[in-house]
Amino acid sequence: MDLLPEAPDRPPTEFESRVFAATSRIPQGRVTTYQLLAKEIGCGSSRAVGQALRRNPFAPEVPCHRVISSSLASGGYAGKVGGEKLAWKLKLLRDEGVKFVDGKLSDPELVYDFES
């Protein structure tokens, strides 16, 4: 099973490119939320950001695994909210020192706010 997001059969849209560019700025060992990422690119929809990340053909170089839910839960990965794909996201984050306890980010100080 391929654990990376599925590459689309077309080039990224302008919107997706903005999402990917902002995502690329999230430092290793940090996470941001879909909502903060949407705000950073001037988009009112965190769901639209999630859909763009679902189609990220550049993972893990464009680290979509570093984007989590505003509730500080892990969110999904590659369009899945469980199973092997989510386990892969959590492994990538764990390898970077980001841990989840009882399904939530263990250290909220790791949330990267693009404005800081």
Side-chain angles (χ1 to χ4, degrees):
M1 170 181 224
D2 185 12
L3 297 175
L4 296 175
E6 185 176 321
D9 56 355
R10 57 166 173 70
T13 66
E14 187 273 332
F15 174 76
E16 290 168 342
S17 294
R18 287 185 7 238
V19 171
F20 301 156
T23 302
S24 294
R25 298 197 322 264
I26 305 166
Q28 184 173 355
R30 303 285 300 274
V31 294
T32 197
T33 67
Y34 296 100
Q35 185 176 27
L36 288 170
L37 185 54
K39 180 180 173 189
E40 174 64 12
I41 65 165
C43 174
S45 173
S46 54
R47 286 184 185 257
V49 167
Q51 289 300 311
L53 292 175
R54 177 182 188 170
R55 295 185 293 271
N56 174 12
F58 309 111
E61 289 78 23
V62 172
C64 53
H65 63 280
R66 296 181 187 151
V67 185
I68 66 172
S69 169
S70 294
S71 69
L72 303 186
S74 61
Y77 186 73
K80 304 294 181 195
V81 293
E84 290 181 325
K85 292 211 178 195
L86 183 59
W88 178 249
K89 175 180 182 169
L90 294 173
K91 180 202 177 316
L92 291 172
L93 290 170
R94 198 170 39 254
D95 289 350
E96 294 181 4
V98 178
K99 294 178 179 50
F100 288 79
V101 175
D102 296 326
K104 298 278 188 173
L105 181 66
S106 64
D107 183 0
E109 294 294 317
L110 294 178
V111 175
Y112 179 72
D113 185 346
F114 292 89
E115 295 177 1
S116 51

